[in-house]
């Protein structure tokens, strides 16, 4: 972490700090609620010391009506306080939800994939649930513990010291709870992420796992991960439950103890009979927040861990700053000394690639497998961040645009085409709100997939299912092409666009690429088959992460596809020179005389 990011306040803290007004309101509610908790203590004192002594029924009725009214007010305030906490949790979710979701999307593009990719979403749920639960209630009530102890001291110092000793015991138990449960709770979070990540990976590859017959082996691996999580979870639950039981036992002992001490003092005439029960109720209320905190300590630790992970995530993936909108690119794409590697990798796989393309040009990138072709185009479109160098559109570096603003001008078809759950029209329009139907149909017609879409059960409104499961591989690829062409983007990048296409599909692809170039767009196509380069005028060859050839298509293909030079035939040795005056035929005969 650099000094600048260290000095910048945490986004989580800023969001929580912006709710300071709501916390103040809840603090006021808590103050009134805790004062009202003394109602039962005063009621006991008045009943035992005034009503029983005077035998006055009207006094009893008046005290009872007043007490019931205060109880009703206390219950109303507690209900309002709980509702406010729920609203604060929802408000925090509203403030951070979009930011965390965007960071969650960028996370696999910036760093190695975690075992549980949904962990940030789960952490946000944990934070919201904690704020809306009993944990904050215990924190808000804990500062009022001295208030009740002072009230008990007023009744009698011995009762006060007894209650203070009980509070000290429970505070020590709270610190012990923190020490014993911190590491097991952290391990439970790690094992839970591992277990959920393995389950999600198996689900996404269910077809392969089932067909190739290793579902039982994967199930065994999941059971091992699940058993590890279960064991740690049992340890955490046992610790928390045991400590909670000890705290309840101590509270009961303290309540009985203060009753006995009060009775002894009453026998001596030091306190009244009402003070016996009043001190018991007040001490119970003084110790209740500590007991609640111990019972919810697991939630405290989970919230702390979730908050720490979210802070690290938002710190690693800063929010995009507001930038001045730039005009749409329309002239040139320049790649300058670009070094690229997989997210989280330390060593670049693509090294020092530079080239320029002008509007209307089309580049075909070829090369053997693992030569860096897909890595290169991922860097060009901004899917993977560059280690060094950069990409410029009309002279402006790509990081001078936000991803939303630049994405409008880029069409990208990855090697593994995945569509999102929704309708065909929503996928083609990139889930634009209220898109123009004409623009959707235009993109579909350029990709020559319009008729195929009309043949679907509901046409453009057909639901394609999760990851486009309702469509064939070729249909997904052609709809993905239409999505890449939607909105006439300046740069269209296609990675192996003809891998699932038949002859008609390849003709449609060639036609679409020609139309993009004709309107002044730039096309980059990664291909193994030269047929995908028919509509392009430039070509590049990648080998071992470097661009070894770049130039006009025919020239580059001639260099790249020429057969290797044949091995030279051995040249026979020249015969030894014949000395002057000796007939050549005689020498030949002598050299072969043994034949």
């Amino acid at each position: 972490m650099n000094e600048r990011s260290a000095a910048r306040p945490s986004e989580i803290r800023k969001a929580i700090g912006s709710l300071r007004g709501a916390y103040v309101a809840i603090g006021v509610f808590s103050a009134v609620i805790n004062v009202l908790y003394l109602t039962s203590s005063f009621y006991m004192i008045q009943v035992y010391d005034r009503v029983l002594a005077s035998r006055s029924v009207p006094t009893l009725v008046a005290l009872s009506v007043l007490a019931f009214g205060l109880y009703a007010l206390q219950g109303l305030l507690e209900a309002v306080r709980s509702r406010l906490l729920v609203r604060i949790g929802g408000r925090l979710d509203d403030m951070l939800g979009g930011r965390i979701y965007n960071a969650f999307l960028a996370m696999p593009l910036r760093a190695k994939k975690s075992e549980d990719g949904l962990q940030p979403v789960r952490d946000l749920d944990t934070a919201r649930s904690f704020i809306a639960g009993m944990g904050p209630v215990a924190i808000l009530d804990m500062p009022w513990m001295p208030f009740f102890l002072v009230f008990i001291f007023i009744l009698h110092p011995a009762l006060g010291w007894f209650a203070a000793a009980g509070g000290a015991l429970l505070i020590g138990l709270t610190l012990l709870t923190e020490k014993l449960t911190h590491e097991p709770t952290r391990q439970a979070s790690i094992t839970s992420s591992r277990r959920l990540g393995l389950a999600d990976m198996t689900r996404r590859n269910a077809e392969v796992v089932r067909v190739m017959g290793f579902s039982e082996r994967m199930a065994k691996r999941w059971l091992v991960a699940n058993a590890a999580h279960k064991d740690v979870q049992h340890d955490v639950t046992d610790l928390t439950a045991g400590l909670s039981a000890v705290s309840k036992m101590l509270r009961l002992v303290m309540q009985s103890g203060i009753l006995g001490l009060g009775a002894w003092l009453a026998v001596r005439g030091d306190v009244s009979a009402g003070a016996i029960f009043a001190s018991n109720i007040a001490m119970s209320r003084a110790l209740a927040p500590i007991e609640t905190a111990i019972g919810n300590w697991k939630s405290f630790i989970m919230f702390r861990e979730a908050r720490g992970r979210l802070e690290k995530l938002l710190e690693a993936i800063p929010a995009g700053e507001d930038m001045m909108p730039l005009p749409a690119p329309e002239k040139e794409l320049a790649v300058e000394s670009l070094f690229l590697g997989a997210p989280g990798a330390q060593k670049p796989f693509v090294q020092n690639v530079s080239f320029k393309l002008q509007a209307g040009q089309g580049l075909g990138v070829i090369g053997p497998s693992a030569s860096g072709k897909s890595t290169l185009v991922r860097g060009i479109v901004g899917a993977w961040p560059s280690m060094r160098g950069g990409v410029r559109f009309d002279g402006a570096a790509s990081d001078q645009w936000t991803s939303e603003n630049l994405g409008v001008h880029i069409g990208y078809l990855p090697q593994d085409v995945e569509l999102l759950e929704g309708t065909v029209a929503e996928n083609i329009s990139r889930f634009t709100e209220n898109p123009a139907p004409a623009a959707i149909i235009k993109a579909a017609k350029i990709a020559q997939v319009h008729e195929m879409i009309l043949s679907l059960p509901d046409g453009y409104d057909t639901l394609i299912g999760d990851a486009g499961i309702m469509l064939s591989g070729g249909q997904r690829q052609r709809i993905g092409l239409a999505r890449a062409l939607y909105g006439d983007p300046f740069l269209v990048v296609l990675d192996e666009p003809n891998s699932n296409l038949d002859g008609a599909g390849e003709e449609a692809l060639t036609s679409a690429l020609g139309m993009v170039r004709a309107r002044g767009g730039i096309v980059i196509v990664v291909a193994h088959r030269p047929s995908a380069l028919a509509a392009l005028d430039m070509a590049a060859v990648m080998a071992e992460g470097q661009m070894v050839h770049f130039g006009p298509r025919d020239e580059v293909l001639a260099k790249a596809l020429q057969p290797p030079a044949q091995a030279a035939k051995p040249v026979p040795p020249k015969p030894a020179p014949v000395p002057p005056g000796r007939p050549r035929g005689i020498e030949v005969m002598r050299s072969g005389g043994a034949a």
Side-chain angles (χ1 to χ4, degrees), residues 157-171:
L159 296 173
W161 285 115
F162 186 88
L169 278 175
L170 287 180
I171 291 174

Side-chain angles (χ1 to χ4, degrees), residues 335-558:
V335 177
E336 300 177 342
S337 303
L338 194 60
F339 286 75
L340 294 164
Q346 301 297 321
K347 184 178 180 181
F349 188 58
V350 169
Q351 304 175 27
N352 200 26
V353 172
S354 300
F355 64 87
K356 287 185 180 181
L357 293 174
Q358 304 299 322
Q361 287 189 312
L363 173 67
V365 182
I366 60 175
S369 297
S371 60
K373 303 185 298 297
S374 296
T375 301
L376 173 62
V377 295
R378 286 188 182 116
I380 291 173
V381 299
W384 285 4
S386 62
M387 294 180 171
R388 283 172 49 192
V391 179
R392 293 183 177 272
F393 294 86
D394 290 358
S398 58
D399 56 11
Q400 294 182 22
W401 276 275
T402 64
S403 60
E404 289 292 323
N405 292 336
L406 184 58
V408 175
H409 308 298
I410 294 178
Y412 178 49
L413 182 68
Q415 192 170 10
D416 298 322
V417 181
E418 285 199 16
L419 303 179
L420 305 180
E421 186 172 359
T423 66
V424 173
E426 287 175 329
N427 273 273
I428 293 177
S429 67
R430 310 179 186 185
F431 288 82
T432 302
E433 294 184 5
N434 302 317
I440 297 175
I441 294 173
K442 177 184 177 183
K445 285 186 173 180
I446 295 175
Q448 296 189 18
V449 75
H450 175 67
E451 287 76 13
M452 184 273 288
I453 294 174
L454 294 179
S455 67
L456 296 175
D458 296 314
Y460 282 88
D461 294 321
T462 301
L463 292 170
I464 63 174
D466 185 18
I469 195 172
M470 304 300 294
L471 304 174
S472 69
Q475 288 175 324
R476 286 197 298 270
Q477 196 150 29
R478 294 179 70 176
I479 291 176
L481 176 61
R483 179 179 63 184
L485 299 173
Y486 175 79
D488 294 335
F490 173 67
L491 174 63
V492 176
V493 178
L494 312 176
D495 192 354
E496 297 286 349
N498 56 348
S499 57
N500 290 317
L501 299 182
D502 53 15
E506 290 206 9
E507 291 180 6
L509 174 64
T510 300
S511 174
L513 298 181
M515 295 178 71
V516 173
R517 292 183 57 198
R519 63 171 172 77
I522 292 177
V523 176
I524 298 178
V525 177
V526 173
H528 279 296
R529 289 185 280 179
S531 58
L533 278 59
L536 310 177
D537 61 334
M538 304 291 288
V541 179
M542 294 291 296
E544 298 181 355
Q546 296 183 338
M547 184 173 285
V548 294
H549 295 296
F550 175 82
R553 182 195 62 188
D554 294 338
E555 293 181 10
V556 171
L557 290 180

Side-chain angles (χ1 to χ4, degrees), residues 99-229:
R99 173 76 177 93
I100 289 173
Y101 182 78
N102 288 329
F104 156 74
L105 288 182
M107 181 173 60
L109 308 179
R110 300 289 185 91
K112 292 186 292 186
K113 292 185 179 180
S114 62
E115 291 174 325
D116 182 9
L118 295 176
Q119 186 65 54
V121 180
R122 301 184 204 280
D123 288 340
L124 181 60
D125 291 340
T126 299
R128 184 183 64 250
S129 299
F130 172 79
I131 290 175
M134 292 298 296
V137 172
I139 295 174
L140 291 167
D141 288 343
M142 218 170 275
W144 289 92
M145 184 178 173
F147 171 74
F148 293 100
L149 292 178
V150 168
F151 173 77
I152 299 172
F153 268 102
I154 292 173
L155 295 176
H156 194 280
L159 296 173
W161 285 115
F162 186 88
L169 278 175
L170 287 180
I171 291 174
L173 188 61
T174 303
L175 297 176
L176 180 63
T177 302
E178 158 67 12
K179 182 178 180 179
L180 294 179
T181 59
H182 174 68
E183 182 61 23
T185 303
R186 191 181 71 85
Q187 290 298 324
S189 176
I190 294 173
T191 55
S192 176
S193 295
R194 186 175 299 129
R195 179 184 63 125
L196 293 172
L198 182 59
D200 183 61
M201 178 188 68
T202 308
R203 181 191 64 83
R204 286 186 284 105
N205 295 277
E207 188 175 299
V208 172
V209 170
R210 180 74 175 177
V211 171
M212 301 182 70
F214 56 99
S215 57
E216 289 298 326
R217 279 163 275 171
M218 295 305 298
K220 288 180 181 178
R221 293 188 66 180
W222 184 84
L223 287 173
V224 170
N226 187 59
H229 173 67

Side-chain angles (χ1 to χ4, degrees), residues 39 43 47 51 57-73:
T39 299
Y43 182 73
V47 168
V51 173
V57 174
T59 302
L60 176 63
V61 171
L63 288 172
S64 299
V65 171
L66 177 60
F68 291 155
L70 293 176
Y71 288 146
L73 177 60

Side-chain angles (χ1 to χ4, degrees), residues 165-347:
L169 278 175
L170 287 180
I171 291 174
L173 188 61
T174 303
L175 297 176
L176 180 63
T177 302
E178 158 67 12
K179 182 178 180 179
L180 294 179
T181 59
H182 174 68
E183 182 61 23
T185 303
R186 191 181 71 85
Q187 290 298 324
S189 176
I190 294 173
T191 55
S192 176
S193 295
R194 186 175 299 129
R195 179 184 63 125
L196 293 172
L198 182 59
D200 183 61
M201 178 188 68
T202 308
R203 181 191 64 83
R204 286 186 284 105
N205 295 277
E207 188 175 299
V208 172
V209 170
R210 180 74 175 177
V211 171
M212 301 182 70
F214 56 99
S215 57
E216 289 298 326
R217 279 163 275 171
M218 295 305 298
K220 288 180 181 178
R221 293 188 66 180
W222 184 84
L223 287 173
V224 170
N226 187 59
H229 173 67
K230 184 174 61 175
D231 292 343
V232 177
Q233 192 69 30
H234 283 174
D235 292 342
V236 174
T237 304
D238 290 345
L239 275 172
T240 305
L243 292 169
S244 179
V246 171
S247 71
K248 289 180 180 179
M249 181 269 294
L250 281 176
R251 187 162 68 92
L252 291 174
V253 169
M254 296 298 296
Q255 285 178 335
S256 298
I258 203 169
L259 280 174
L261 178 61
W264 180 70
L265 292 172
V267 170
R268 293 180 53 184
D270 293 337
V271 296
S272 65
I276 300 174
F277 300 99
S279 61
N280 178 274
I281 295 172
M283 190 189 70
S284 176
R285 183 57 210 161
L287 303 183
I290 302 177
E291 184 183 348
T292 302
I294 293 173
N296 290 271
W297 202 257
K298 179 181 175 182
S299 299
F300 279 99
I301 297 179
M302 290 179 64
F303 169 72
R304 186 172 60 192
E305 296 287 337
R307 173 175 167 173
R309 284 191 295 267
L310 289 177
E311 287 181 343
K312 288 181 180 179
L313 172 67
L314 299 183
E315 200 174 88
I317 305 176
E321 300 178 359
D322 293 333
M323 301 178 181
M324 187 182 76
L326 297 175
E330 57 183 14
K331 297 178 182 179
E332 180 184 77
L333 167 72
V335 177
E336 300 177 342
S337 303
L338 194 60
F339 286 75
L340 294 164
Q346 301 297 321
K347 184 178 180 181

